Every structure is written in structure tokens, then in C-alpha cells.
Amino acid sequence: EGELCLSRSLVNSSDKIIRKTGSSIFQHSVEDWKINSSLVLEIRKNILRFLDAERDVSVVKSSFKPGDVIHYVLDRRRTLNISHDLHSLLPEVSPMKNRRFKTCAVVGNSGILLDSECGKEIDSHNFVIRCNLAPVVEFAADVGTKSDFITMNPSVVQRAFGGFRNESDREKFVHRLSMLNDSVLWIPAFMVKGGEKHVEWVNALILKNKLKVRTAYPSLRLIHAVRGYWLTNKVPIKRPSTGLLMYTLATRFCDEIHLYGFWPFPKDLNGKAVKYHYYDDLKYRYFSNASPHRMPLEFKTLNVLHNRGALKLTTGKCV
Ligand code: CTP
């Protein structure tokens, strides 16, 4: 009871099917989609057995003191020191405490959003979650601008802000954060070693410029708990992507979850090329072993959930 009923063989062969047939098996209807509220409640209840998003969305100040040494979640041999800056930016209480919404949007970063004209629809949701500090202003017609919760992998500093080498990179970053106002900025700082310098720079800029963003740093158990939930439902995902993490968290706060920008395939259903990201020229990596994610498998799962009315997946035009 309560399982997603994805049979083991179906899931195991999915990557092969995707490679063979491209994305054509993922046709799904948006017109006659209807929410299945009892399934939504059941999924929330089941996910709550693994994690409580209200708590696991961020560690809080009382969890650490400056100078504490912690082990990286996915790299247990390496350690990180909790700096004064980091400690001062930890929230006193969960930034998601007691927050509930009728409808939420989780916006992935696929190029499928280009020309979608989904901006208005995305912004009409009560709570909008975005990933990796993706730019919005230049793409507002397709992606909207409302950003209540936005994630930022430490690698974004290098990828989108020149590693803060120049003053202009830092200014661009501060400007981007200042547009967020008091939205939640979610930084997975404890996952893997490599980004600690970047996280420190980000923290220092937030403090120096007295930015109002509400910083959050996911708990040490979040990723294991999310993986555990999906594994129990026969979806073997070692490293859930940011987008899947956000959907999983959102089930706690949102009655109706709408996904946009999820399309991890280089072509659309008509064979037209689709960029990996709507805003840059990053190439597809997940068919190689270079990427830790299994986005096509995740997509297949989300598609099943769409067809069962647990969430709504939009991959076409909104108007
Ligand atoms: N996504 C997608 N299809 C794409 C690109 C992204 O479905 N072509 C979804 C994924 O769920 C992804 C989310 O949108 O997690 C945000 O995109 P991105 O910033 O690329 O996410 P990351 O998970 O950080 O990916 P990576 O670790 O490869 O940077």
C-alpha cells in the first residue's frame, strides 16, 4: 500500500528504453489532468516516514557552534569547519516552519522552457521554487520571475559568476541576490568537498551587503532520507537531482505541485533540439558516466506520478 507501483523491471530497463527510443514514450496529456488529492496525501504521509521537510530543509543555529567539525555527507572522510560567518547565517528556526500552500511550482532548468510562454502561469502559483540561481529577468515570459525559494549548488559561483574573480562578477551576484529579497536561498554546503571556498565567499558577500535573503543549508540526513524514500518505491536513485529533491520537499508544504522545466532529453517530442539549460550552453552529461544523476529515470518516475494525478508536469506551451 502506498507504493508508486513502478515495477522493478520497468524501472531497471528504463534507461535502455530511453536510449533506444528517445523521449517519445513520455507523451502525457495536460488537458485532462486532474489532481488526485488522496494520492497526494498518501505520498506526503509516506515521505514523512523518511524525512520531515520542515526540519530537514535546513540545519538551524542551535545544531552547531562555530569551530565544529563535520563530515561531508557524500564524502565522509573529508571534513568541514563551521565558520563564524556560516554559523551566523544559519536560521534560528526552519525557514519553512508552518508554511503551507495551495499550489506550488517547482521550476527545473531545462531548455524546454524556451518559447513555452509559461512565465505568467508559473508566477501565479502561491510558492515558486527554482534551482541553481537560474536567471529569470531576461527569460521572464517563459519562466516568470517569482522566486520564493531558490537553490544554489556551490559550483554555481564558478559556473555563472566567474569564480568571483572580478568585482563585476561579485556585483552581478549581489545584484541577483538582492532581487530575491527575503526569499529562501538554499545552499547544499555539506554534500561534497570542493565548494567550501565558494560557500565562504557567498556567506561573506551576504553579510557584507546585508542582503535580506534567508539562507538555508540542508540537513546532513536529507539526501539519504530522500534516496531512501525513492529506493523503497523501487526507484533506485543514488544522487537525486536538485529538481527531484525539491519535489520531494515540496510534498510537505504544497497541496498541488506543478513542475516546469523538467526535460532531460536533447530533443523534444517533435525532434527539435532542446538545450540542457534554458540560460547557458552547458551540454548534456547524464548519458555519460560523468554525471552522478539519473535524470531520465527521475523523469520517467515524475511522468508516472503525473499520469496518476499526484503532480502536474508541463513540458509544452502554457498558452
Ligand atoms: N532538469 C531537467 N532537465 C534538464 C535540466 C534540468 O529535468 N535538461 C531538472 C533536474 O531535476 C535538475 C533541475 O532541473 O536537478 C535543475 O537543473 P540544474 O541546475 O542543471 O540541476 P542540478 O541537479 O544541479 O544538476 P547538476 O548537478 O548536473 O548541475
Side-chain angles (χ1 to χ4, degrees):
E1 196 227 349
E3 286 198 352
L4 304 177
C5 304
L6 290 163
S7 83
R8 196 176 286 278
S9 60
L10 180 77
V11 168
N12 284 347
S13 57
S14 66
D15 285 355
K16 231 180 291 159
I17 296 172
I18 291 161
R19 270 194 213 109
K20 268 197 203 138
T21 62
S23 49
S24 54
I25 53 172
F26 294 128
Q27 222 120 23
H28 56 269
S29 161
V30 179
E31 284 77 39
D32 45 15
W33 179 88
K34 232 178 107 243
I35 186 92
N36 178 344
S37 299
S38 56
L39 180 58
V40 167
L41 290 179
E42 197 177 303
I43 289 174
R44 177 180 298 158
K45 201 177 84 197
N46 284 326
I47 291 180
L48 266 166
R49 296 217 288 253
F50 290 82
L51 72 147
D52 178 351
E54 235 183 48
R55 180 192 65 206
D56 289 315
V57 70
S58 182
V59 293
V60 290
K61 245 195 187 68
S62 56
S63 333
F64 301 119
K65 353 178 250 319
D68 278 355
V69 175
I70 61 169
H71 289 265
Y72 282 100
V73 174
L74 299 171
D75 198 357
R76 298 275 313 149
R77 284 170 309 173
R78 311 292 191 99
T79 57
L80 166 81
N81 279 23
I82 304 289
S83 69
H84 274 96
D85 277 2
L86 177 57
H87 189 259
S88 71
L89 286 170
L90 298 181
E92 302 274 352
V93 291
S94 167
M96 295 305 290
K97 194 173 166 58
N98 297 330
R99 301 185 75 182
R100 298 291 178 271
F101 309 96
K102 193 173 174 313
T103 76
C104 297
V106 180
V107 187
N109 284 333
S110 167
I112 200 79
L113 280 165
L114 293 171
D115 291 327
S116 68
E117 293 176 60
C118 285
K120 273 214 183 85
E121 186 179 312
I122 290 173
D123 283 352
S124 74
H125 293 289
N126 304 128
F127 193 73
V128 178
I129 302 174
R130 297 183 192 267
C131 302
N132 281 318
L133 220 53
V136 288
V137 177
E138 312 90 293
F139 303 95
D142 293 329
V143 311
T145 56
K146 188 170 153 74
S147 310
D148 300 291
F149 187 111
I150 190 154
T151 75
M152 195 199 101
N153 288 345
S155 58
V156 166
V157 171
Q158 198 62 45
R159 231 183 248 164
F161 297 93
F164 291 160
R165 266 184 296 278
N166 306 315
E167 184 56 29
S168 64
D169 296 325
R170 294 190 287 272
E171 270 167 16
K172 191 174 137 203
F173 181 78
V174 169
H175 178 70
R176 180 75 187 86
L177 291 202
S178 64
M179 286 181 352
L180 294 174
N181 260 311
D182 55 357
S183 309
V184 177
L185 176 68
W186 189 83
I187 309 176
F190 313 133
M191 295 296 170
V192 284
K193 194 172 170 65
E196 62 276 25
K197 223 176 40 222
H198 296 133
V199 174
E200 281 306 316
W201 293 342
V202 167
N203 291 340
L205 283 176
I206 293 173
L207 290 167
K208 182 174 158 222
N209 294 281
K210 300 195 170 63
L211 297 171
K212 270 170 55 196
V213 278
R214 301 204 280 155
T215 39
Y217 306 83
S219 83
L220 303 176
R221 55 189 301 284
L222 176 71
I223 197 141
H224 297 303
V226 170
R227 186 160 61 193
Y229 167 73
W230 291 105
L231 256 175
T232 310
N233 286 286
K234 303 195 174 67
V235 185
I237 296 166
K238 273 216 190 85
R239 280 276 296 276
S241 74
T242 305
L244 187 74
L245 277 174
M246 289 303 119
Y247 163 71
T248 313
L249 289 179
T251 58
R252 178 79 173 101
F253 314 110
C254 310
D255 293 337
E256 226 180 273
I257 301 176
H258 295 242
L259 305 186
Y260 304 85
F262 284 69
W263 187 261
F265 309 104
K267 288 189 177 151
D268 69 11
L269 291 173
N270 303 316
K272 205 173 130 234
V274 177
K275 290 177 69 183
Y276 179 62
H277 281 160
Y278 68 81
Y279 52 87
D280 66 20
D281 291 321
L282 207 71
K283 295 285 174 261
Y284 284 83
R285 295 176 298 156
Y286 37 68
F287 288 121
S288 74
N289 293 329
S291 168
H293 299 314
R294 296 184 70 190
M295 285 189 200
L297 169 62
E298 292 184 1
F299 185 88
K300 188 182 176 65
T301 306
L302 296 171
N303 197 50
V304 169
L305 291 170
H306 168 97
N307 291 331
R308 297 187 59 197
L311 55 84
K312 185 175 175 190
L313 192 53
T314 297
T315 58
K317 269 190 182 278
C318 284
V319 279

